[in-house]
Coordinates of all heavy atoms in Angstrom, one line a residue:
M1 N 115.0 104.0 -136.1 CA 113.6 104.5 -136.0 C 112.8 103.6 -135.0 O 112.9 102.4 -135.0 CB 112.9 104.4 -137.4 CG 113.3 105.5 -138.3 SD 112.6 107.1 -137.9 CE 111.2 107.1 -139.0
D2 N 112.1 104.3 -134.2 CA 111.2 103.5 -133.3 C 109.9 103.3 -133.9 O 109.2 104.2 -134.3 CB 111.0 104.3 -132.0 CG 110.4 103.5 -130.9 OD1 109.5 102.6 -131.3 OD2 110.7 103.8 -129.8
S3 N 109.6 102.0 -134.2 CA 108.3 101.7 -134.9 C 107.1 102.0 -134.1 O 106.0 102.0 -134.7 CB 108.4 100.3 -135.3 OG 108.4 99.5 -134.1
Y4 N 107.2 102.3 -132.8 CA 106.0 102.6 -132.1 C 105.7 104.1 -131.9 O 104.8 104.5 -131.3 CB 106.1 102.0 -130.6 CG 106.0 100.5 -130.7 CD1 107.1 99.8 -130.6 CD2 104.7 99.9 -130.8 CE1 107.0 98.4 -130.6 CE2 104.6 98.6 -130.9 CZ 105.8 97.8 -130.8 OH 105.7 96.4 -130.9
T5 N 106.5 104.9 -132.5 CA 106.3 106.4 -132.5 C 105.2 106.7 -133.5 O 105.3 106.3 -134.7 CB 107.6 107.1 -132.8 OG1 108.5 106.8 -131.8 CG2 107.3 108.6 -132.8
N6 N 104.2 107.5 -133.0 CA 103.2 108.0 -133.9 C 103.5 109.4 -134.3 O 103.9 110.2 -133.5 CB 101.8 107.9 -133.2 CG 101.4 106.5 -132.9 OD1 101.3 105.7 -133.8 ND2 101.2 106.2 -131.6
T7 N 103.2 109.7 -135.6 CA 103.5 111.0 -136.1 C 102.3 111.7 -136.7 O 101.6 111.0 -137.5 CB 104.7 110.9 -137.1 OG1 105.8 110.3 -136.5 CG2 105.1 112.3 -137.6
F8 N 102.1 112.9 -136.4 CA 100.9 113.6 -136.9 C 101.4 115.0 -137.4 O 102.1 115.7 -136.6 CB 99.9 113.8 -135.8 CG 99.5 112.5 -135.1 CD1 100.2 112.0 -134.1 CD2 98.4 111.8 -135.6 CE1 99.9 110.8 -133.5 CE2 98.0 110.6 -135.0 CZ 98.7 110.1 -133.9
S9 N 100.9 115.5 -138.5 CA 101.4 116.8 -139.0 C 100.2 117.6 -139.4 O 99.2 117.1 -139.9 CB 102.3 116.6 -140.2 OG 103.4 115.9 -139.9
N10 N 100.4 118.9 -139.3 CA 99.5 119.9 -140.0 C 100.5 120.7 -140.9 O 101.6 120.3 -141.1 CB 98.7 120.7 -139.0 CG 99.5 121.6 -138.1 OD1 100.7 121.8 -138.3 ND2 98.8 122.2 -137.1
D11 N 100.0 121.9 -141.3 CA 100.9 122.7 -142.2 C 102.1 123.2 -141.5 O 103.1 123.5 -142.1 CB 100.1 123.8 -142.8 CG 99.1 123.3 -143.8 OD1 99.2 122.2 -144.3 OD2 98.2 124.1 -144.2
E12 N 102.0 123.4 -140.2 CA 103.0 124.1 -139.5 C 103.9 123.2 -138.6 O 105.1 123.5 -138.5 CB 102.3 125.1 -138.5 CG 101.5 126.2 -139.2 CD 100.8 127.0 -138.2 OE1 101.4 128.0 -137.7 OE2 99.6 126.7 -138.0
I13 N 103.4 122.3 -138.0 CA 104.2 121.4 -137.1 C 104.0 119.9 -137.3 O 102.9 119.5 -137.9 CB 103.8 121.8 -135.6 CG1 102.4 121.5 -135.3 CG2 104.3 123.2 -135.2 CD1 102.0 121.5 -133.8
T14 N 104.9 119.2 -136.8 CA 104.7 117.7 -136.8 C 104.8 117.3 -135.3 O 105.7 117.8 -134.6 CB 105.8 117.0 -137.6 OG1 105.7 117.4 -138.9 CG2 105.8 115.5 -137.4
V15 N 103.8 116.6 -134.8 CA 103.7 116.1 -133.5 C 104.1 114.6 -133.4 O 103.6 113.9 -134.3 CB 102.3 116.3 -132.9 CG1 102.2 115.8 -131.5 CG2 101.9 117.8 -132.9
T16 N 104.9 114.2 -132.5 CA 105.2 112.8 -132.4 C 104.8 112.4 -131.0 O 104.8 113.1 -130.0 CB 106.7 112.5 -132.5 OG1 107.5 113.2 -131.5 CG2 107.2 112.9 -133.9
Y17 N 104.3 111.1 -130.9 CA 103.8 110.5 -129.7 C 104.5 109.2 -129.5 O 104.5 108.4 -130.3 CB 102.3 110.4 -129.7 CG 101.8 109.5 -128.6 CD1 101.8 110.0 -127.3 CD2 101.2 108.3 -128.9 CE1 101.3 109.2 -126.3 CE2 100.7 107.5 -127.8 CZ 100.7 108.0 -126.6 OH 100.2 107.2 -125.5
E18 N 105.1 109.0 -128.3 CA 105.8 107.8 -128.0 C 105.1 107.0 -126.9 O 105.2 107.4 -125.7 CB 107.3 108.2 -127.6 CG 108.1 107.0 -127.1 CD 108.1 105.9 -128.1 OE1 108.6 106.0 -129.2 OE2 107.4 104.8 -127.8
P19 N 104.3 106.1 -127.3 CA 103.4 105.4 -126.2 C 104.2 104.7 -125.2 O 103.7 104.6 -124.0 CB 102.6 104.5 -127.1 CG 103.1 104.4 -128.4 CD 104.0 105.6 -128.6
S20 N 105.4 104.3 -125.4 CA 106.1 103.5 -124.4 C 106.6 104.4 -123.2 O 106.9 103.8 -122.2 CB 107.4 102.8 -125.0 OG 108.3 103.8 -125.4
I21 N 106.6 105.7 -123.4 CA 106.9 106.5 -122.2 C 105.8 107.3 -121.7 O 105.9 108.0 -120.8 CB 108.1 107.5 -122.6 CG1 107.9 108.4 -123.7 CG2 109.4 106.7 -122.8 CD1 108.9 109.5 -123.9
C22 N 104.6 107.3 -122.4 CA 103.4 107.9 -121.9 C 103.0 107.3 -120.6 O 102.9 106.1 -120.5 CB 102.3 107.8 -123.0 SG 100.7 108.4 -122.4
I23 N 102.8 108.2 -119.6 CA 102.3 107.7 -118.3 C 100.8 107.7 -118.1 O 100.3 107.5 -117.1 CB 103.0 108.5 -117.1 CG1 102.7 109.9 -117.2 CG2 104.5 108.2 -117.1 CD1 103.1 110.8 -116.0
H24 N 100.1 108.0 -119.2 CA 98.7 108.0 -119.3 C 98.0 108.8 -118.2 O 97.0 108.4 -117.6 CB 98.2 106.5 -119.2 CG 98.7 105.7 -120.4 ND1 98.2 105.9 -121.6 CD2 99.6 104.7 -120.4 CE1 98.8 105.1 -122.5 NE2 99.7 104.3 -121.7
A25 N 98.6 109.9 -117.9 CA 97.9 110.8 -117.0 C 96.7 111.5 -117.6 O 95.9 112.0 -117.0 CB 98.9 111.9 -116.5
E26 N 96.7 111.4 -118.9 CA 95.6 112.0 -119.7 C 95.5 113.5 -119.5 O 94.4 114.1 -119.7 CB 94.3 111.3 -119.5 CG 94.3 109.9 -120.0 CD 93.0 109.2 -119.9 OE1 92.0 109.9 -119.7 OE2 92.9 108.0 -120.2
K27 N 96.6 114.1 -119.2 CA 96.6 115.6 -119.0 C 96.2 116.2 -120.4 O 95.5 117.1 -120.5 CB 98.0 116.0 -118.6 CG 98.1 117.4 -118.2 CD 99.5 117.7 -117.6 CE 99.7 119.1 -117.2 NZ 98.8 119.5 -116.0
C28 N 96.8 115.6 -121.4 CA 96.6 116.2 -122.8 C 95.1 116.1 -123.2 O 94.5 117.0 -123.6 CB 97.4 115.5 -123.8 SG 97.3 113.7 -123.8
A29 N 94.5 114.9 -122.9 CA 93.1 114.7 -123.3 C 92.2 115.5 -122.5 O 91.1 115.9 -123.0 CB 92.8 113.2 -123.2
K30 N 92.5 115.7 -121.3 CA 91.5 116.5 -120.4 C 91.6 117.9 -120.7 O 90.6 118.6 -120.6 CB 91.9 116.2 -119.0 CG 91.4 114.9 -118.4 CD 91.8 114.7 -117.0 CE 91.4 113.2 -116.6 NZ 92.2 112.8 -115.6
E31 N 92.8 118.4 -121.1 CA 93.0 119.9 -121.2 C 92.7 120.4 -122.6 O 92.4 121.5 -122.8 CB 94.3 120.3 -120.7 CG 94.5 120.0 -119.2 CD 95.8 120.5 -118.6 OE1 96.6 121.1 -119.4 OE2 96.0 120.3 -117.4
L32 N 92.9 119.5 -123.6 CA 92.7 119.9 -125.0 C 92.1 118.8 -125.8 O 92.7 118.1 -126.6 CB 94.0 120.4 -125.6 CG 94.0 121.2 -126.9 CD1 93.2 122.5 -126.7 CD2 95.3 121.5 -127.5
S33 N 90.9 118.5 -125.4 CA 90.2 117.2 -125.8 C 89.9 117.3 -127.3 O 89.6 116.2 -127.9 CB 89.0 116.9 -125.0 OG 88.1 118.0 -125.1
S34 N 89.8 118.4 -127.9 CA 89.5 118.5 -129.3 C 90.7 118.0 -130.2 O 90.5 117.5 -131.3 CB 89.2 119.9 -129.8 OG 90.3 120.8 -129.6
V35 N 91.9 118.0 -129.6 CA 93.0 117.5 -130.3 C 93.5 116.2 -129.9 O 93.7 115.3 -130.7 CB 94.2 118.6 -130.1 CG1 95.5 118.0 -130.8 CG2 93.9 119.9 -130.7
F36 N 93.6 116.0 -128.6 CA 94.0 114.7 -128.0 C 92.8 113.9 -127.6 O 92.2 114.1 -126.5 CB 95.0 115.0 -126.8 CG 96.2 115.8 -127.2 CD1 96.2 117.2 -126.9 CD2 97.2 115.3 -127.9 CE1 97.3 118.0 -127.3 CE2 98.3 116.1 -128.3 CZ 98.4 117.4 -128.0
R37 N 92.5 112.9 -128.4 CA 91.3 112.2 -128.2 C 91.7 110.7 -127.9 O 92.3 110.0 -128.7 CB 90.5 112.2 -129.5 CG 90.2 113.6 -129.9 CD 89.6 113.7 -131.3 NE 90.4 113.1 -132.3 CZ 90.1 113.1 -133.6 NH1 89.0 113.5 -134.0 NH2 90.9 112.5 -134.5
T38 N 91.2 110.3 -126.7 CA 91.7 109.0 -126.2 C 91.0 107.8 -126.9 O 91.4 106.7 -126.9 CB 91.5 108.8 -124.7 OG1 90.2 109.2 -124.4 CG2 92.5 109.8 -124.0
S39 N 89.8 108.1 -127.5 CA 89.0 106.9 -127.9 C 88.8 106.9 -129.5 O 88.1 106.1 -130.0 CB 87.6 107.0 -127.3 OG 87.0 108.2 -127.6
I40 N 89.5 107.8 -130.1 CA 89.4 107.9 -131.6 C 90.7 107.7 -132.3 O 91.7 108.3 -131.8 CB 88.7 109.3 -132.0 CG1 87.4 109.5 -131.3 CG2 88.5 109.3 -133.5 CD1 86.9 110.9 -131.5
I41 N 90.8 107.0 -133.3 CA 92.0 106.9 -134.1 C 91.9 107.5 -135.4 O 90.9 107.2 -136.1 CB 92.4 105.4 -134.2 CG1 92.7 104.8 -132.8 CG2 93.6 105.2 -135.1 CD1 93.0 103.3 -132.8
P42 N 92.7 108.4 -135.9 CA 94.0 108.8 -135.2 C 93.6 109.7 -134.1 O 92.8 110.6 -134.2 CB 94.7 109.5 -136.3 CG 93.7 110.0 -137.3 CD 92.6 109.0 -137.2
W43 N 94.3 109.5 -133.0 CA 93.9 110.1 -131.7 C 94.4 111.6 -131.6 O 93.8 112.3 -130.8 CB 94.4 109.3 -130.5 CG 95.8 109.4 -130.1 CD1 96.8 108.8 -130.7 CD2 96.3 110.2 -129.1 NE1 98.0 109.2 -130.1 CE2 97.7 110.0 -129.1 CE3 95.7 111.0 -128.1 CZ2 98.5 110.6 -128.1 CZ3 96.6 111.6 -127.2 CH2 98.0 111.5 -127.2
I44 N 95.4 112.0 -132.4 CA 95.7 113.4 -132.3 C 95.2 114.1 -133.6 O 95.5 113.7 -134.7 CB 97.2 113.6 -132.2 CG1 97.8 113.0 -130.9 CG2 97.6 115.1 -132.3 CD1 99.3 113.1 -130.8
N45 N 94.3 115.0 -133.4 CA 93.6 115.7 -134.4 C 94.1 117.2 -134.5 O 93.6 118.0 -133.7 CB 92.1 115.7 -134.2 CG 91.4 116.5 -135.2 OD1 91.9 116.8 -136.3 ND2 90.2 117.0 -134.8
L46 N 95.0 117.5 -135.3 CA 95.6 118.8 -135.3 C 94.8 119.8 -136.0 O 95.1 121.0 -136.0 CB 97.0 118.7 -136.0 CG 98.1 117.9 -135.3 CD1 99.3 117.9 -136.1 CD2 98.3 118.5 -133.9
D47 N 93.6 119.5 -136.5 CA 92.8 120.4 -137.3 C 91.9 121.2 -136.4 O 91.3 122.2 -136.8 CB 91.9 119.6 -138.3 CG 92.8 119.0 -139.4 OD1 93.9 119.5 -139.6 OD2 92.3 118.0 -139.9
D48 N 91.7 120.8 -135.1 CA 90.7 121.4 -134.3 C 91.2 122.4 -133.2 O 90.5 122.7 -132.3 CB 89.9 120.3 -133.6 CG 88.7 119.9 -134.4 OD1 88.6 120.3 -135.6 OD2 87.8 119.2 -134.0
A49 N 92.4 122.8 -133.4 CA 92.9 123.8 -132.4 C 94.0 124.6 -133.1 O 94.6 124.2 -134.1 CB 93.4 123.2 -131.2
E50 N 94.3 125.8 -132.6 CA 95.4 126.6 -133.1 C 96.7 125.8 -132.8 O 96.8 125.2 -131.8 CB 95.4 127.9 -132.3 CG 94.2 128.8 -132.6 CD 94.3 129.4 -134.0 OE1 95.4 129.6 -134.5 OE2 93.2 129.6 -134.6
T51 N 97.6 126.0 -133.7 CA 98.9 125.3 -133.5 C 99.5 125.7 -132.2 O 100.1 124.9 -131.5 CB 99.8 125.6 -134.7 OG1 99.3 125.0 -135.9 CG2 101.2 125.1 -134.5
S52 N 99.4 127.0 -131.8 CA 100.0 127.5 -130.6 C 99.4 126.8 -129.4 O 100.1 126.5 -128.4 CB 99.8 129.0 -130.4 OG 98.5 129.3 -130.5
A53 N 98.1 126.5 -129.4 CA 97.5 125.8 -128.3 C 98.0 124.3 -128.2 O 98.1 123.8 -127.1 CB 95.9 125.8 -128.5
V54 N 98.2 123.7 -129.4 CA 98.7 122.4 -129.4 C 100.1 122.4 -128.8 O 100.5 121.5 -128.0 CB 98.7 121.8 -130.8 CG1 99.4 120.5 -130.9 CG2 97.3 121.8 -131.4
I55 N 100.9 123.3 -129.2 CA 102.3 123.4 -128.7 C 102.3 123.6 -127.2 O 103.0 123.0 -126.4 CB 103.0 124.6 -129.4 CG1 103.3 124.2 -130.8 CG2 104.4 124.9 -128.6 CD1 103.9 125.3 -131.7
N56 N 101.4 124.5 -126.7 CA 101.3 124.8 -125.2 C 101.0 123.5 -124.5 O 101.5 123.2 -123.4 CB 100.3 125.8 -124.9 CG 100.8 127.2 -125.2 OD1 102.0 127.4 -125.2 ND2 99.9 128.2 -125.4
Q57 N 100.0 122.7 -125.1 CA 99.6 121.5 -124.4 C 100.8 120.5 -124.4 O 101.0 119.8 -123.4 CB 98.4 120.9 -125.1 CG 97.7 119.9 -124.3 CD 97.2 120.4 -122.9 OE1 96.6 121.5 -122.9 NE2 97.5 119.8 -121.8
I58 N 101.5 120.4 -125.5 CA 102.6 119.4 -125.6 C 103.6 119.7 -124.5 O 104.2 118.8 -123.9 CB 103.2 119.4 -127.0 CG1 102.2 118.8 -128.0 CG2 104.5 118.7 -127.1 CD1 102.5 119.0 -129.4
K59 N 103.8 121.0 -124.3 CA 104.8 121.4 -123.3 C 104.4 121.0 -121.9 O 105.3 120.9 -121.0 CB 105.1 122.9 -123.4 CG 105.9 123.3 -124.6 CD 106.0 124.8 -124.6 CE 106.9 125.2 -125.8 NZ 106.9 126.7 -126.0
K60 N 103.2 120.7 -121.7 CA 102.7 120.3 -120.4 C 102.7 118.8 -120.2 O 102.4 118.3 -119.1 CB 101.3 120.8 -120.1 CG 101.1 122.3 -120.0 CD 99.7 122.7 -119.7 CE 99.4 124.1 -120.0 NZ 97.9 124.3 -119.9
C61 N 103.0 118.1 -121.2 CA 103.0 116.6 -121.1 C 104.1 116.2 -120.0 O 105.3 116.5 -120.2 CB 103.3 116.0 -122.4 SG 103.6 114.2 -122.4
P62 N 103.7 115.5 -118.9 CA 104.6 115.3 -117.9 C 105.7 114.2 -118.2 O 106.8 114.2 -117.6 CB 103.7 114.8 -116.7 CG 102.5 114.3 -117.4 CD 102.3 115.1 -118.6
S63 N 105.4 113.4 -119.2 CA 106.4 112.3 -119.5 C 107.3 112.6 -120.6 O 108.3 111.9 -120.8 CB 105.6 111.0 -119.8 OG 105.0 111.2 -121.1
G64 N 107.0 113.6 -121.4 CA 107.8 113.8 -122.6 C 107.4 112.9 -123.8 O 108.0 112.9 -124.8
A65 N 106.2 112.2 -123.6 CA 105.8 111.3 -124.7 C 105.4 112.1 -125.9 O 105.5 111.7 -127.1 CB 104.6 110.5 -124.2
L66 N 104.9 113.3 -125.7 CA 104.5 114.2 -126.8 C 105.6 115.1 -127.1 O 106.2 115.8 -126.2 CB 103.2 115.0 -126.5 CG 101.9 114.2 -126.4 CD1 100.8 115.1 -125.8 CD2 101.5 113.8 -127.8
Q67 N 106.0 115.2 -128.4 CA 107.1 116.2 -128.8 C 106.6 116.8 -130.1 O 105.7 116.3 -130.7 CB 108.4 115.4 -129.1 CG 108.9 114.6 -128.0 CD 109.7 115.4 -126.9 OE1 110.1 116.5 -127.2 NE2 109.8 114.9 -125.7
Y68 N 107.1 117.9 -130.5 CA 106.8 118.5 -131.7 C 108.0 119.2 -132.3 O 108.9 119.5 -131.6 CB 105.7 119.6 -131.5 CG 106.1 120.9 -131.0 CD1 106.4 122.0 -131.8 CD2 106.3 121.0 -129.6 CE1 106.9 123.1 -131.3 CE2 106.8 122.2 -129.1 CZ 107.1 123.3 -129.9 OH 107.6 124.4 -129.4
F69 N 107.9 119.4 -133.6 CA 108.9 120.3 -134.3 C 108.2 121.1 -135.3 O 107.2 120.6 -135.9 CB 110.2 119.6 -134.8 CG 109.9 118.5 -135.7 CD1 109.8 118.7 -137.1 CD2 109.7 117.2 -135.3 CE1 109.5 117.7 -138.0 CE2 109.4 116.1 -136.2 CZ 109.3 116.4 -137.5
K70 N 108.7 122.3 -135.7 CA 108.1 123.1 -136.7 C 108.6 122.5 -138.1 O 109.7 122.2 -138.3 CB 108.6 124.5 -136.6 CG 108.0 125.1 -135.3 CD 108.0 126.6 -135.3 CE 107.2 127.1 -134.1 NZ 107.8 128.3 -133.5
N71 N 107.6 122.4 -139.0 CA 107.9 121.8 -140.3 C 109.0 122.5 -141.0 O 109.7 121.9 -141.8 CB 106.7 121.7 -141.1 CG 105.7 120.7 -140.5 OD1 106.1 119.8 -139.7 ND2 104.4 120.8 -140.9
K72 N 109.1 123.8 -140.9 CA 110.0 124.6 -141.7 C 111.5 124.4 -141.2 O 112.4 124.9 -141.8 CB 109.6 126.0 -141.7 CG 108.5 126.3 -142.6 CD 108.0 127.7 -142.5 CE 106.7 127.8 -143.3 NZ 105.9 129.0 -142.9
Q73 N 111.6 123.8 -140.0 CA 113.0 123.6 -139.5 C 113.7 122.5 -140.1 O 114.1 121.5 -139.4 CB 112.9 123.4 -138.0 CG 112.7 124.7 -137.2 CD 112.6 124.4 -135.7 OE1 112.6 123.2 -135.3 NE2 112.7 125.4 -134.9
K74 N 113.7 122.4 -141.4 CA 114.5 121.4 -142.1 C 115.9 121.7 -142.1 O 116.3 122.8 -142.3 CB 113.9 121.2 -143.4 CG 112.6 120.5 -143.5 CD 112.1 120.3 -144.9 CE 110.7 119.6 -144.8 NZ 110.0 119.8 -146.1
K75 N 116.7 120.7 -141.9 CA 118.1 120.9 -141.9 C 118.6 121.2 -143.3 O 118.4 120.4 -144.2 CB 118.9 119.7 -141.3 CG 118.7 119.6 -139.8 CD 119.4 118.3 -139.3 CE 119.1 118.1 -137.9 NZ 119.4 116.8 -137.4
A76 N 119.2 122.3 -143.5 CA 119.8 122.7 -144.8 C 121.1 122.0 -144.9 O 121.9 121.9 -144.0 CB 119.9 124.2 -144.9
G77 N 121.3 121.4 -146.1 CA 122.5 120.6 -146.3 C 123.7 121.5 -146.4 O 124.7 121.6 -145.8
Ligands
SF4_1 S1 99.9 114.3 -121.3 FE1 101.6 113.1 -122.0 S2 101.8 111.5 -120.5 FE2 99.8 112.4 -120.2 S3 98.5 111.1 -121.5 FE3 99.1 112.8 -122.8 S4 100.9 112.0 -123.9 FE4 100.6 110.6 -122.1

């Protein structure tokens, strides 16, 4: 486990943020500022946008620092 990974969840998805690979382009914060907030902790607020909008924004992250997975995709034993 990487101790620097930040994890944020809502009912549908879990978003992870890896600061060591973030290139701080602030693309996320500029384009979806209600969710990705650079000056407030916790900085990812999943309550203020549709999950689909959050996913779309994560896909635009140039560094791959933001990732997500759907909560229901649990591995069945
Ligand atoms: S879009 Fe990705 S690389 Fe840019 S600031 Fe956000 S997390 Fe970092």
Side-chain angles (χ1 to χ4, degrees):
M1 286 286 264
D2 189 329
S3 58
Y4 289 101
T5 299
N6 295 302
T7 303
F8 306 85
S9 295
N10 66 10
D11 289 344
E12 296 172 87
I13 60 169
T14 296
V15 177
T16 61
Y17 169 67
E18 176 49 70
S20 68
I21 61 173
C22 172
I23 58 173
H24 299 291
E26 296 189 5
K27 193 173 179 63
C28 53
K30 283 179 187 153
E31 295 185 3
L32 196 61
S33 60
S34 61
V35 174
F36 302 103
R37 305 172 298 180
T38 53
S39 58
I40 305 171
I41 293 174
W43 78 281
I44 297 179
N45 172 25
L46 293 177
D47 296 333
D48 269 12
E50 294 288 329
T51 294
S52 59
V54 176
I55 289 172
N56 280 340
Q57 195 62 49
I58 289 169
K59 286 178 177 171
K60 292 185 200 169
C61 172
S63 69
L66 288 170
Q67 305 279 338
Y68 77 96
F69 57 86
K70 294 198 171 146
N71 291 339
K72 284 174 188 162
Q73 283 180 347
K74 285 184 182 162
K75 285 178 187 162

